[in-house]
Amino acid sequence: MLTPEQIETKLDRILLKVQKPGRYVGGELNSVVKDWDSADVRVALVFPDIYDIGVSNVGLKILYDQVNQRGDALAERAYAPWTDMEALMRAEGIPLYALESKRPLSGFDLVGFSLPYETLYTNALNLLDLAGIPLRAGERGAEHPIVIAGGHSTINPEPMHAFMDAFVIGEGEEVIHDIINVLKLRNTQYAVRDDLLLALAKIPGVYVPRFYQPHYMDDGTIARVETLAEGIANPVVKRIVAKLPPPPTKFIVPNIEVVHNRASVEITRGCTRGCRYCHAGMITRPVRERRVDEIVAAAREAVRSTGFEELALLSLSSSDYTHIEELVAAIGEEFKDEKLTVSLPSLRIESVSIDLVDKLRGRRGSGFTLAPEAATERMRRIINKFISDEDIINTTREIYRRGWTNIKLYFMIGHPSETLEDVQAIADLCKRVIAEGRKVAGMKVKLHAGVSTFVPKPQTPFQWVSCDTRENILAKQALLKRELRDRNIKLSWTKPEDTLLESFLSRGDRRLAEVIFTAWKNGAKFDAWEEHRRFETWMSAFAEHGLDPAFYTHRPRRADEIFAWDHITAAVRKKYLFQDFRRSLEGHIRVDCRLNCYACGILPTFADLRRDNPGEGWKCPDVKSPRKADVSDRGQPLAIR
Amino acid sequence: MRLRVAFSKQGALRYIGHLDLHTLLERAARRAALPLVYSQGFHPAPKIQIAAALPLGFSSRAEMADLWLSEDRDLVSLRADLQSALPRDIQILDVQQADDRAPALQTLVVAAEYEATIPDEFASDLTSRLAALMEAESLPRVRRGKTYDLRPLIESLEAAPAEGSGETRVLLRLAAREGATGRPDEVLAALGIPPESARVERIRLIFRD
Ligand code: SF4
C-alpha cells in the first residue's frame, strides 16, 4: 500500500495537469486531521460525485462530525475525481485516497458511501475499483474495509446489494456509533469477516444483504425473502433519531469555487404533506422540529466559523415549520448588520411566503422558486398537492409586483393518468403567470419553467405505477416546447433516457446488480452528467443479462405483488401506501397529517421513542398506549399478501 | 484603515488560484470579524488587493495583500484573530498599517524571487547553462498559443548546490510588473528541466520605492 508521502509526491507531478487541482488536496478550514495511530476505527466517508458537489453534502457532514467527536475514531473524506484526474491517477498508480491524510481508502476500516440518488451507483463501483477494493462484497476478506452505503436511494438497497457489505436504512447519526463499536472488536471478537457482518446485521437499521435470500416466482417477481441467519430483522426497519441532535456548524470551507458555498441549518426533518410522488416526504417521517433559539444559535455559529456569504435554512417544506414566522424574524434580527444571503427553500404557494422571503432580505436578482408540480386540479388531486390556480396566479403576481423579475416554477410531467390536456395546462398556466406579471411589472418579467419527469419511487404510494413511456414523454415535451416560445419564458426538461435510467434503478431487484456492473465495465459513470449519458451502454447491459428494462419501468404491478424492497421498511406501512394509492385513483386528497393522523405506521413502530419525547418536537400525536414491550407484535409493519 | 498582510502559502493551498485566494481572504476576514470595506453597487465586493498572482502549484513564503477596514484595529490582536481564521497552510508573517493613499499594491511590485529545487540528474553543468541563458539575446517561447520573449523577464539566475541532498537549488529573479511577468516554470523549461520535477517557492517580492 502506498504511504501518504508517496501519494503526495505522485500527486505533485500530476496536479498541474488537471482542471481545478484544489479539488484533490484537502487542507480546507474546518477539515479535521487526526493522528492516524490514535484511532481504533478509521472511517472514510465518500460522496461519489465530484468535490464541487459532494463537499457541501449535509448528510456526510453530520457523520463526519459524529465520528470525529469520538476519541477512538476518525473520519476523512473522498470524492469522485473528474475524468481528467481519474485517468492520471490510473496511469500513475495512485489509488483513491482520503483528502485529510492522503492515505489510500483501502487502508481504512470502514468506507461509507452516501447514495442519495441512483445515478451515483456506477460512480460508487468506479471508486471502489479506483481504491483497489474488490467490487463485490463476497470477494472481500479480512484485509479489506467494510463497505457500507446509506442515503435516500438505499431505502431500496437491492440493486447495489452485491457491492456493499451493509446498508444503513434511515438516519445515520446514531447507527454510525453502533457500527463503530462493532468495528472496534474487529481484531478480537469478530476476527472472521462473517462474524463481523453478522454482528453488524444485528444492529437495528443495518441491512446486510448476504443474510437475506430472495426467492423469485416464474414471472420474475418476488415470492419471498428468506433470512439466512438467526436473530436478524425481517423486515429491516429504518433507524431514526428521537430528537434531532445539535446541527453541525463547523462546515468545511472549500478553498475553491463549489456549487453551494453556504452554511446550512436543518430546521425540520420529515414532512407531513403527503405528496404521493415524493420519495423524501414518505421515507423521512416523522416530522421533528428544532427550536427557534437552537436554529438561530447554530446559524450564528455556522456563519461565524465559516465566513460564508450564504445561509440556507433546510427542510422539505419550510412553510410547515411551526414557528416559521418567529424564526424568520429572529434570523433577520440576528444578521441585520451583515452581508448574508439567507435562503429558505420549499415554500408554499401563498403570499405569506413572499413576506417571509422579504423579511430575510433575500437577493432579488436571484429569483423566486415555487413548485406547483401540476397544473390541473385533477392532477393535483392525484398527486395530493392541492393548490388552486388562483393561489398560483395571485402569489406569482405579487412576487413580480414586489420587485422580483424572475420566477422559477417546478412542474413534473408523467404523473399517473396524465393526459396531454394536463400538460397543455402547464403551458397555459405559465403563460397566464407571465401575462399577469407583465400587468404589474412590465415587459421585463421572466419565467423559468423547470419540467422534470416523474419517476415512481419505492416506499411511496406510487410504487405500484408505471413510468411514462419514452414516446409519451417526448410528445409531452414537444407540446411544451411548441407552446412555450415566449422569449421571456425559459423551459428546461429532463431527457427521457435519464428518467428511465432513474426509474429502473429505483425499483430494481437484485438482478440489477449485474446490469449495473456490466454498464460500469463498459464505461458508464457520472450518469447524472449530460456529457456522460450512455443509455445504449445500459440497454446492452440489460440485453447481456437477459433482462428487460420495461419489467422495472413499465410493468403494471399487481396490488398484492411483493416488491424487491419489501423486507426493508421506512415504517410507513405498505397497507397505508396502497390505500393512499387507491385514494389517488379516486381523486381523493389527504390533508396534512399533522391536522389529522392517518395512522401511517410511524407511531406504532416508534411508539417508545415518541413516548420518551412528548410534546412539541414531534408532529405526530402523543402516544398514550402502553409500552411496546407490553404489547405483542407491535411495530411490525404489515405486509400485504 | 489599510492593512498590509504578509503571509506564506504552502501545502494544499499551492493549488488555489488567485481568485480563490481572494475569496479565501475575504472569508477569513469575516470569520475574524474584521470590518471589511465593501464597494457600492449591486454586487458589493470587499476592498482587497493581492500584490502578485502566484502561479498554481508553487508555494510561497512572500505573499502580500492589502485589506481595507472601516475602523481602526489593534494590529497585535488583529493578527492573532486573522491567523486563527485562516486554513493551516497560510501563515501570517507580518501585519502593518499601510498609507491609505499609496497606489494599488499590484502596481508597486517590480520583481519576484523564486527558489527552485531540482533533482541532481538535471544539475550537470548547470552554471554554464544558466550563463548561456543569461547571455542569450532573446528566448522566444510559446505559451497558450502566443509567442513571447522570456529573456527580458529574467533579471538574474544563480545555482546553489545543496551538498549531499541529491538536490540542487536555483535562485531566479524575474520581472513581476503588470503585463511583464516571468514564470519560473518557463525558465526551468528553457533550461531543459521538466518543471513538474522541481519544487518552486516564491521567496521574495521586490517593490519599487
Ligand atoms: S403517524 Fe400520523 S401524524 Fe405521524 S406521520 Fe403518520 S400519519 Fe402523519
Side-chain angles (χ1 to χ4, degrees):
Chain A
M1 200 178 292
L2 292 184
T3 64
E5 294 71 33
Q6 288 169 322
I7 289 185
E8 280 187 11
T9 308
K10 282 172 178 274
L11 284 176
D12 278 341
R13 287 174 157 271
I14 62 170
L15 282 174
L16 289 180
K17 299 178 188 162
V18 301
Q19 296 171 36
K20 295 179 86 168
R23 287 166 174 164
Y24 308 112
V25 292
E28 306 96 330
L29 189 92
N30 294 337
S31 60
V32 181
V33 185
K34 281 193 168 182
D35 175 24
W36 184 259
D37 295 314
S38 73
D40 295 335
V41 179
R42 292 120 180 178
V43 183
L45 298 170
V46 188
F47 194 90
D49 206 323
I50 58 169
Y51 178 88
D52 315 39
I53 292 173
V55 71
S56 16
N57 181 271
V58 184
L60 275 193
K61 175 63 198 162
I62 292 174
L63 296 177
Y64 188 75
D65 271 12
Q66 290 289 333
V67 179
N68 280 325
Q69 276 163 19
R70 292 176 67 122
D72 59 355
L74 61 80
E76 305 196 3
R77 298 163 296 135
Y79 307 94
W82 188 239
T83 45
D84 57 346
M85 180 66 174
E86 185 194 334
L88 286 171
M89 285 171 73
R90 289 189 188 274
E92 297 289 324
I94 304 175
L96 185 65
Y97 58 91
L99 291 183
E100 282 79 358
S101 66
K102 311 287 183 306
R103 289 186 191 257
L105 254 65
S106 53
F108 283 75
D109 300 295
L110 177 67
V111 172
F113 279 95
S114 172
L115 296 176
Y117 38 93
E118 297 80 3
T119 40
L120 296 175
Y121 290 172
T122 49
N123 274 25
L125 265 59
N126 200 41
L127 294 189
L128 284 173
D129 183 63
L130 192 58
I133 298 170
L135 260 63
R136 291 173 193 276
E139 290 167 6
R140 290 180 204 133
E143 70 277 26
H144 295 120
I146 295 289
V147 183
I148 293 190
H152 284 184
S153 78
T154 65
I155 200 79
N156 173 17
E158 293 300 73
M160 288 294 277
H161 82 283
F163 315 112
M164 297 294 156
D165 295 300
F167 293 87
V168 166
I169 310 298
E171 297 169 4
E173 287 107 331
E174 286 179 2
V175 89
I176 185 75
H177 294 292
D178 299 346
I179 292 170
I180 289 174
N181 292 341
V182 166
L183 283 175
K184 278 179 82 171
L185 306 174
R186 191 180 180 181
N187 297 321
T188 51
Q189 204 170 329
Y190 304 127
V192 176
R193 197 174 174 93
D194 255 351
D195 295 347
L196 180 65
L197 291 173
L198 186 59
L200 290 174
K202 289 182 179 166
I203 299 173
V206 174
Y207 171 60
V208 179
R210 78 163 62 182
F211 298 124
Y212 298 79
Q213 177 67 54
H215 296 277
Y216 295 88
M217 302 210 276
D218 289 343
D219 66 0
T221 60
I222 306 286
R224 66 192 175 91
V225 174
E226 182 188 359
T227 47
L228 304 178
E230 288 290 311
I232 59 171
N234 187 0
V236 177
V237 182
K238 77 164 178 190
R239 273 292 272 278
I240 62 166
V241 292
K243 186 172 179 298
L244 300 183
T249 53
K250 296 193 99 184
F251 290 91
I252 285 173
V253 185
N255 292 319
I256 56 169
E257 249 335 276
V258 297
V259 177
H260 286 308
N261 273 301
R262 65 184 194 192
S264 55
V265 181
E266 189 184 17
I267 61 175
T268 66
R269 193 175 293 176
C271 179
T272 44
R273 286 273 139 193
C275 302
R276 292 177 177 125
Y277 56 85
C278 182
H279 196 222
M282 288 292 160
I283 68 171
T284 61
R285 292 174 175 209
V287 170
R288 285 141 296 160
E289 297 188 339
R290 284 200 164 99
R291 291 195 324 272
V292 171
D293 58 338
E294 188 186 11
I295 297 168
V296 175
R300 164 49 64 206
E301 180 52 26
V303 169
R304 199 201 58 73
S305 79
T306 61
F308 278 137
E309 323 46 41
E310 187 181 338
L311 169 73
L313 300 173
L314 301 181
S315 68
L316 289 174
S317 178
S318 302
S319 309
D320 290 329
Y321 174 56
T322 313
H323 312 290
I324 188 67
E325 306 247 355
E326 200 188 316
L327 173 68
V328 161
I331 291 280
E333 178 61 27
E334 180 70 31
F335 295 104
K336 67 175 188 295
D337 300 324
E338 288 164 56
K339 290 192 169 36
L340 184 75
T341 304
V342 183
S343 61
L344 192 62
S346 313
L347 285 163
R348 222 153 53 211
I349 303 176
E350 56 190 18
S351 60
V352 183
S353 302
I354 317 172
D355 297 338
L356 292 174
V357 177
D358 248 348
K359 285 205 192 91
L360 289 171
R361 305 161 303 124
R363 220 185 297 143
R364 287 291 152 91
S366 62
F368 204 114
T369 302
L370 296 170
E373 304 294 358
T376 56
E377 183 169 317
R378 184 183 82 86
M379 212 68 254
R380 292 189 198 118
R381 283 183 182 280
I382 286 172
I383 65 174
N384 203 40
K385 182 155 190 172
F386 203 78
I387 321 137
S388 71
D389 278 358
E390 284 320 302
D391 281 345
I392 297 173
I393 297 297
N394 291 339
T395 309
T396 50
R397 188 198 297 114
E398 183 61 16
I399 293 169
Y400 286 130
R401 201 186 61 75
R402 292 208 212 167
W404 279 273
T405 49
N406 205 347
I407 295 181
K408 181 160 188 183
L409 294 181
Y410 280 115
F411 294 97
M412 254 195 253
I413 55 169
H415 291 303
S417 87
E418 184 187 56
T419 65
L420 283 178
E421 276 99 78
D422 297 306
V423 180
Q424 177 67 46
I426 294 176
D428 295 344
L429 182 61
C430 289
K431 288 188 223 169
R432 246 186 98 194
V433 165
I434 202 148
E436 290 293 321
R438 279 176 184 148
K439 283 188 205 156
V440 293
M443 292 306 285
K444 65 177 185 295
V445 298
K446 289 191 166 49
L447 181 71
H448 180 177
V451 185
S452 60
T453 306
F454 167 63
V455 173
K457 291 285 191 177
Q459 319 267 13
T460 69
F462 285 166
Q463 60 182 346
W464 283 270
V465 310
S466 301
C467 188
D468 212 346
T469 62
R470 191 167 179 277
E471 295 65 44
N472 273 349
I473 298 171
L474 287 173
K476 290 172 182 177
Q477 291 176 338
L479 184 156
L480 290 173
K481 288 180 218 174
R482 199 167 57 236
E483 288 287 323
L484 294 176
R485 283 230 174 102
D486 189 311
R487 67 184 175 81
N488 287 323
I489 300 181
K490 182 181 161 205
L491 173 68
S492 55
W493 62 91
T494 322
K495 286 255 161 48
E497 290 77 16
D498 293 352
T499 300
L500 295 176
L501 176 76
E502 196 189 327
S503 180
F504 58 69
L505 291 177
S506 294
R507 289 188 298 170
D509 53 28
R510 287 196 170 190
R511 296 172 300 181
L512 267 216
E514 292 314 311
V515 176
I516 295 169
F517 181 84
T518 304
W520 165 73
K521 264 237 105 91
N522 293 332
K525 62 183 172 188
F526 286 110
D527 284 304
W529 290 73
E530 175 95 35
E531 57 268 56
H532 282 279
R533 189 178 292 124
R534 278 168 169 268
F535 198 63
E536 284 316 310
T537 305
W538 281 97
M539 290 303 102
S540 52
F542 268 100
E544 193 175 323
H545 295 286
L547 291 169
D548 178 7
F551 176 84
Y552 301 99
T553 53
H554 294 107
R555 177 175 58 87
R557 281 153 164 88
R558 291 192 320 274
D560 64 347
E561 177 169 334
I562 297 173
F563 295 131
W565 53 90
D566 276 359
H567 56 300
I568 309 291
T569 174
V572 176
R573 284 190 204 121
K574 191 174 183 185
K575 209 170 159 183
Y576 169 86
L577 294 173
F578 188 69
Q579 212 182 54
D580 203 43
F581 172 47
R582 296 290 295 270
R583 290 178 70 90
S584 152
L585 298 178
E586 291 154 9
H588 286 307
I589 59 162
R590 255 177 166 155
V591 295
D592 189 333
C593 68
R594 70 174 78 188
L595 306 172
N596 177 12
C597 173
Y598 297 108
C600 71
I602 288 290
L603 272 180
T605 305
F606 300 117
D608 289 355
L609 288 182
R610 178 62 177 127
R611 190 179 297 98
D612 296 341
N613 292 276
E616 272 290 280
W618 279 50
K619 292 297 142 183
C620 305
D622 272 320
V623 171
K624 297 192 184 63
S625 53
R627 286 201 165 260
K628 188 147 73 179
D630 308 333
V631 190
S632 60
D633 202 30
R634 289 205 72 132
Q636 291 302 311
L638 304 179
I640 300 181
R641 292 273 153 128
Chain B
M1 161 182 219
R2 179 177 180 176
L3 288 180
R4 183 153 296 168
V5 183
F7 56 96
S8 65
K9 185 169 174 273
Q10 318 261 341
L13 290 187
R14 284 175 295 148
Y15 294 103
I16 305 311
H18 190 64
L19 286 177
D20 289 330
L21 179 62
H22 214 272
T23 312
L24 186 149
L25 291 175
E26 178 187 353
R27 290 199 182 129
R30 290 163 64 109
R31 290 190 289 268
L34 301 186
L36 288 174
V37 171
Y38 281 82
S39 64
Q40 300 295 312
F42 197 64
H43 293 292
K47 202 164 175 200
I48 295 176
Q49 295 171 348
I50 298 173
L54 179 67
L56 224 56
F58 301 160
S59 59
S60 171
R61 47 182 203 258
E63 293 307 284
M64 203 167 276
D66 281 3
L67 283 73
W68 274 256
L69 305 186
S70 60
E71 43 190 84
D72 286 0
R73 286 288 170 99
D74 167 55
L75 292 185
V76 177
S77 63
L78 176 150
R79 175 175 174 165
D81 291 348
L82 190 58
Q83 181 64 63
S84 60
L86 282 162
R88 51 195 161 266
D89 289 331
I90 289 189
Q91 289 296 320
I92 297 179
L93 305 169
D94 189 32
V95 179
Q96 303 254 335
Q97 178 159 8
D99 180 358
D100 242 327
R101 291 148 313 178
L105 188 55
Q106 305 87 294
T107 65
L108 298 176
V109 186
V110 289
E113 283 181 11
Y114 300 87
E115 183 182 271
T117 309
I118 58 170
D120 267 351
E121 51 179 303
F122 301 109
S124 59
D125 49 281
L126 185 61
T127 326
S128 56
R129 276 149 62 214
L130 296 181
L133 218 59
M134 292 305 288
E135 276 158 25
E137 290 262 303
S138 70
L139 289 169
R141 290 194 55 86
V142 182
R143 187 171 159 78
R144 295 204 179 114
K146 272 200 195 149
T147 308
Y148 76 102
D149 187 1
L150 177 62
R151 180 59 195 88
L153 303 176
I154 306 175
E155 296 188 355
S156 73
L157 297 174
E158 201 181 308
E163 286 301 320
S165 66
E167 290 180 324
T168 300
R169 276 200 282 281
V170 188
L171 293 179
L172 308 91
R173 181 172 162 140
L174 308 178
R177 293 177 304 271
E178 285 187 313
T181 303
R183 289 182 58 106
D185 47 341
E186 291 276 287
V187 180
L188 292 176
L191 286 165
I193 301 165
E196 64 271 17
S197 70
R199 286 198 315 279
V200 181
E201 180 159 77
R202 181 141 82 187
I203 55 174
R204 200 153 81 94
L205 287 174
I206 295 131
F207 294 89
R208 72 176 151 88
D209 334 289

